[in-house]
Amino acid sequence: NQIYTLIKDLAGLEAINSSITTLQGYYALAKDIDLESKLYARSVIGEIRKFATNADTLKGYFEGSFDGLGHVVKNLKISGTAREDSDDQFGFFGAAFGAKIRNVGIASGKVEVLDILGYEPSVGAGSLIGISAKSLISNVYSAADVVLKSPNKDRYTLSFAGGLIASATSYGQDAIPSRLENAYFTGSVLSEASNVAIGGIVGVNFAGHVIKN
């Protein structure tokens, strides 16, 4: 049996993102969390290269367990610009690798991303998760809006926008797929760029990611 840390306020929520160790922990929401006073540039929890030591290192993703216990996150506001050579992923969880996320909803909010990079690297925008790899996500929903903007609407890009998850994939040699179960989305997804993979639930599904119910 695992001991979960109860998240009772905004400070406790943001503390999850403070180190590689805390991103591997076990957490549960004790109440609804209102983010009305906050504007995030990329994510609330888990940023794919937050603790990276070089350009080839992926350090900073969430790989722990997060149980909302039926509670919701309100007024999520993310507004940012994709950085060069960063593989930026935007969402409440920017990147979730080997994580378990369940029983939580994004009750309201908006994720707005400006993609100025061109074909590479790819950029992902989702209200719950930017990129999910080897993760189990269940009993989740979102009513937040997702917008992926481009300074040139006809520019060819390789980016992803999803209502819940921007991109779902496996990662590493074992190629374990992610799994999404019992989920729904009631917000909107909009892209202004060409060649963007868009989905109401998942923007793009790689490597056999399982979506059920």
Side-chain angles (χ1 to χ4, degrees), residues 66 93 96 99-104 128-129 131-141 164-165 167-168 178-183 209-212:
F66 188 96
F93 294 93
K100 292 182 179 179
I101 299 165
R102 58 187 179 271
N103 305 323
V104 66
L128 182 63
I129 304 173
I131 183 171
S132 171
K134 303 181 184 180
S135 296
L136 175 60
I137 302 101
S138 60
N139 301 321
V140 298
Y141 80 92
L164 282 173
I165 303 172
S167 62
S178 286
R179 189 175 184 92
L180 175 64
E181 298 179 346
N182 303 322
H209 177 89
V210 178
I211 302 174
K212 182 179 180 181

Side-chain angles (χ1 to χ4, degrees), residues 78-156:
I78 296 174
S79 182
T81 300
R83 299 167 296 180
E84 187 174 358
D85 298 326
S86 66
D87 293 307
D88 272 335
Q89 308 295 322
F90 299 78
F92 179 76
F93 294 93
F97 285 14
K100 292 182 179 179
I101 299 165
R102 58 187 179 271
N103 305 323
V104 66
I106 306 296
S108 57
K110 186 176 185 178
V111 177
E112 189 172 60
V113 178
L114 178 61
D115 179 8
I116 61 174
L117 300 180
Y119 189 74
E120 290 185 2
S122 61
V123 175
S127 63
L128 182 63
I129 304 173
I131 183 171
S132 171
K134 303 181 184 180
S135 296
L136 175 60
I137 302 101
S138 60
N139 301 321
V140 298
Y141 80 92
S142 176
D145 298 324
V146 178
V147 180
L148 184 59
K149 294 183 174 183
S150 171
N152 181 353
K153 295 181 181 181
D154 297 322
R155 183 175 56 85
Y156 189 82

